Amino acid sequence: YGDRLGETIVIAPTTRNEGHGKFVLDVDDGGIVKKGYFLSLVTVRGFEKFLLGKAMEFGPIATSRFCGLCPPTHATASSEAIERSLGISPPAAGLQLRELCNIGNHLHDHPLQQILILPDFVKEESKIREDIVYIQKMRRIGQYICDVVGGEAIHSPYIRIGGMLGNITESARRKLLEMMGDFVELAAMHRKFME
């Protein structure tokens, strides 16, 4: 941008993020960015409009199906909104299971962003494929957590008003702990690869 000193530079759209974004950079005559803004252009989805006139129990079910990347988050937010409006305090175990389900979703979704940026960092096609293997293994672990804790890998129907539909078994807990150890190893390998 050497020929654009003392100007406002706009980089849009940015597409390797959720939705689209836009960078607006104010650059001085020396080429130094004095102010920078990132604008997220994800549109309002209008979830609440789909829920008007429906039974409140429909909220967590419906909202978890509006987004394919973060269904447990929407089901949790919907359940929490209803709980707050009714003065319901879910049991601690139910809240912990919800959090675990949402963590599983993060462990599935966040590595996907790594796949999107890989070509920016790695030019050799075979190395990209090699790293995608780690990333996909990480994502499968996240999906498994959602499947076990949330009742389904995608829509998490166990997230309910008042907590969760039920607890996980002791054998499921042990398996999740084992898989989390695998995730930590894979994440360390991926980090080392990226560095």
Side-chain angles (χ1 to χ4, degrees):
Y1 299 108
D3 60 334
R4 305 204 41 204
L5 302 178
E7 291 187 32
T8 298
I9 298 171
V10 177
I11 303 169
T14 61
T15 57
R16 291 187 180 176
N17 53 289
E18 185 66 34
H20 290 295
K22 175 164 112 174
F23 280 109
V24 179
L25 308 170
D26 291 333
V27 182
D28 70 12
D29 291 335
I32 304 297
V33 175
K34 291 300 182 184
K35 288 185 181 178
Y37 305 94
F38 176 72
L39 307 169
S40 176
L41 305 176
V42 177
T43 59
V44 174
R45 296 178 186 173
F47 289 7
E48 67 282 354
K49 295 296 183 187
F50 289 103
L51 302 177
L52 287 175
K54 306 286 192 296
M56 67 180 171
E57 297 86 0
F58 181 66
I61 295 165
T63 58
S64 72
R65 284 159 173 77
F66 293 155
C67 173
L69 294 176
C70 46
T73 303
H74 296 301
T76 297
S78 179
S79 295
E80 288 177 353
I82 294 165
E83 290 160 359
R84 286 187 191 123
S85 71
L86 297 175
I88 296 172
S89 298
L95 295 175
Q96 289 171 344
L97 286 171
R98 267 190 202 164
E99 182 69 18
L100 181 57
C101 189
N102 278 281
I103 288 169
N105 181 247
H106 291 308
L107 298 180
H108 172 256
D109 180 57
H110 290 205
L112 174 61
Q113 310 308 316
Q114 296 294 308
I115 291 174
L116 296 175
I117 66 168
L118 265 177
D120 293 337
F121 293 94
V122 183
K123 301 304 176 197
E124 191 178 324
E125 192 67 32
S126 65
K127 292 288 186 188
I128 290 174
R129 280 193 298 268
E130 175 185 322
D131 198 46
I132 286 175
V133 170
Y134 300 143
I135 293 170
Q136 290 297 68
K137 285 179 182 176
M138 291 162 56
R139 296 185 76 224
R140 278 193 294 278
I141 291 169
Q143 281 290 80
Y144 182 79
I145 293 169
C146 289
D147 192 28
V148 170
V149 179
E152 191 177 304
I154 308 249
H155 302 302
S156 305
Y158 290 1
I159 296 175
R160 300 285 176 93
I161 299 164
M164 296 290 281
L165 181 62
N167 205 343
I168 59 174
T169 65
E170 179 58 27
S171 62
R173 187 188 72 78
R174 285 193 305 270
K175 177 71 173 172
L176 292 175
L177 285 171
E178 177 187 322
M179 293 182 84
M180 288 304 303
D182 295 343
F183 187 94
V184 169
E185 287 179 24
L186 290 165
M189 290 168 53
H190 173 65
R191 180 179 182 159
K192 185 177 179 184
F193 174 85
M194 290 300 283
E195 288 172 351

